[in-house]
Amino acid sequence: MERLFVAGFALLLAVSFAQAKQRPPTFDENFSVMWADDHVQTTGENGSLVQLMLDRNSGSAFSTIKKYLFGFISMNLKLVPGDSAGVVTAYYLSSETDNRDELDFEFLGNRSGQPYTLQTNVYSNGKGEREQRLMLWFDPSQDFHAYSFLWNKHHIVFYVDKTPVRVHRLTSATQDVFLSKQPMRLISSIWNADGWATRGGKEKIDWSGAPFVASYAEFTVDGCDEGDAACLANTSSPWWDRPSSWELSVQEEQALGVVRSKFLIYDYCLDTNRNPSPPTECSVNPK
Ligand SMILES: *[C@@H]1O[C@H](CO)[C@@H](O)[C@H](O)[C@H]1NC(C)=O
Ligand SMILES: *[C@@H]1O[C@H](CO)[C@@H](O)[C@H](O)[C@H]1NC(C)=O
Ligand SMILES: *[C@@H]1O[C@H](CO)[C@@H](O)[C@H](O)[C@H]1NC(C)=O
Ligand SMILES: *[C@@H]1O[C@H](CO)[C@@H](O)[C@H](O)[C@H]1NC(C)=O
């Protein structure tokens, strides 16, 4: 009887081990909650749908447990629908060090029926102030769209679905402001930014619409974990580090040109009040 029990237990262990190996990592295996556990929900198959909430009491945030050094990192986001004025959803890579490196997507909410603004920024060695802002060609609160970073030793590309919306290139002129030394985590947060986000802070949050919910799915990372020397030294390069990923394709250059001419509403490189002589990287990144 006892032997049968032990055998049965061993079989159960073996089966659940096999299942654990098969199923993709869960939210808890990939991420940790940074603030407000009770404002973060995971649902869906294998906990694959994540929701961040903001109400009068709190916003919330999660981050990946691992830090990455180069790679392609992506998630699908669906932003707060309806009246989202004053609400900011930030989705970014950050080294979280004193002299931090950071790549930001920040979604600035708006009054119902008015479009979101997508702000991007690049921090290198603790210095940011490289904002660009664009309007999107779709309503980001209606459906999930992919927001991705491609990061190798040649350039950093911000993608919205398959469309590049920003490039930060490495050249001899930009080596001091390129990001290549600090591993970064993927972080997302939702918070009250009604002091500045919508029409310069004139539009306040309408709390009658709370809780404000941003949803996340399809976390993908194809890259090197911090400290994985074998990955970094890999000579049979992964796709994101092959020559074809070292620069934009002709089609991508064209698509970026369309985004800049049709959807860009602000570029620090073109802000001559703020930057009478444009920062060095502005000469190699698209104008
Ligand atoms: C959930 O896990 C099962 C394996 O246990 C897998 O077949 C399925 O594709 C997973 N679903 C999602 C949405 O990841
Ligand atoms: C966890 O990360 C892996 C990629 O490393 C991904 O395939 C899986 O879907 C992720 N799970 C969740 C719940 O995000
Ligand atoms: C909100 O909508 C107004 C009017 O369409 C627009 O000017 C503004 O850029 C939008 N975004 C924000 C964050 O204010
Ligand atoms: C090296 O890259 C190849 C191609 O992407 C991949 O199959 C292999 O797992 C990588 N090796 C290491 C150690 O990361």
Side-chain angles (χ1 to χ4, degrees):
M1 183 66 198
E2 200 173 305
R3 285 218 335 248
L4 202 64
F5 178 76
V6 170
F9 187 64
L11 186 68
L12 200 72
L13 264 183
V15 168
S16 51
F17 185 68
Q19 274 175 354
K21 273 191 87 170
Q22 257 179 15
R23 63 150 179 75
T26 61
F27 177 80
D28 293 331
E29 288 162 333
N30 286 340
F31 302 101
S32 59
V33 172
M34 290 175 85
W35 16 293
D37 246 311
D38 55 352
H39 285 61
V40 181
Q41 275 186 1
T42 58
T43 55
E45 217 181 309
N46 310 328
S48 52
L49 180 71
V50 187
Q51 294 187 311
L52 288 186
M53 268 180 283
L54 166 71
D55 61 21
R56 273 182 194 278
N57 297 321
S58 183
S60 51
F62 66 77
S63 78
T64 55
I65 292 169
K66 288 181 183 164
K67 283 187 172 179
Y68 306 98
L69 189 58
F70 303 113
F72 176 80
I73 298 163
S74 178
M75 250 181 136
N76 290 0
L77 273 69
K78 188 168 146 191
L79 293 151
V80 175
D83 190 332
S84 58
V87 177
V88 167
T89 306
Y91 166 81
Y92 57 107
L93 292 173
S94 176
S95 63
E96 299 185 285
T97 50
D98 288 341
N99 281 331
R100 75 187 194 277
D101 281 352
E102 190 171 293
L103 301 170
D104 294 332
F105 277 111
E106 287 182 309
F107 299 89
L108 316 184
N110 218 334
R111 295 259 89 103
S112 294
Q114 297 183 21
Y116 265 81
T117 298
L118 175 54
Q119 173 165 292
T120 60
N121 203 352
V122 174
Y123 279 75
S124 162
N125 209 18
K127 187 187 171 297
E129 301 184 349
R130 298 191 177 89
E131 294 90 354
Q132 290 182 1
R133 279 186 218 120
L134 52 105
M135 307 311 283
L136 291 162
W137 46 95
F138 54 84
D139 176 353
S141 70
Q142 284 300 299
D143 293 299
F144 281 96
H145 290 268
Y147 302 91
S148 321
F149 304 93
L150 174 73
W151 178 28
N152 56 39
K153 288 166 204 149
H154 303 268
H155 65 182
I156 293 164
V157 188
F158 292 68
Y159 285 96
V160 172
D161 294 321
K162 300 238 153 54
T163 306
V165 298
R166 179 169 185 163
V167 198
H168 189 66
R169 298 191 167 100
L170 175 64
T171 68
S172 52
T174 63
Q175 50 191 340
D176 291 342
V177 298
F178 197 71
L179 284 61
S180 56
K181 296 186 183 72
Q182 304 194 51
M184 299 194 283
R185 280 197 171 86
L186 180 67
I187 302 174
S188 192
S189 60
I190 183 168
W191 41 288
N192 174 355
D194 72 4
W196 62 274
T198 312
R199 287 216 303 131
K202 291 197 187 76
E203 305 283 346
K204 299 300 175 190
I205 292 187
D206 176 3
W207 291 106
S208 70
F212 301 102
V213 179
S215 307
Y216 304 78
E218 307 271 332
F219 170 60
T220 319
V221 48
D222 243 341
C224 292
D225 294 354
E226 171 184 28
D228 185 347
C231 177
L232 284 171
N234 199 345
T235 45
S236 60
S237 318
W239 71 268
W240 50 267
D241 203 17
R242 292 201 187 123
S244 55
S245 300
W246 291 357
E247 54 185 26
L248 297 182
S249 68
V250 173
Q251 289 84 348
E252 285 181 323
E253 285 288 358
Q254 278 168 358
L256 178 61
V258 171
V259 167
R260 292 185 56 85
S261 64
K262 291 214 169 116
F263 299 102
L264 192 78
I265 54 172
Y266 178 82
D267 185 350
Y268 76 107
C269 285
L270 305 174
D271 186 344
T272 48
N273 288 327
R274 214 170 139 199
N275 299 308
S277 49
T280 52
E281 71 276 11
C282 294
S283 61
V284 298
N285 293 326
K287 283 184 278 290

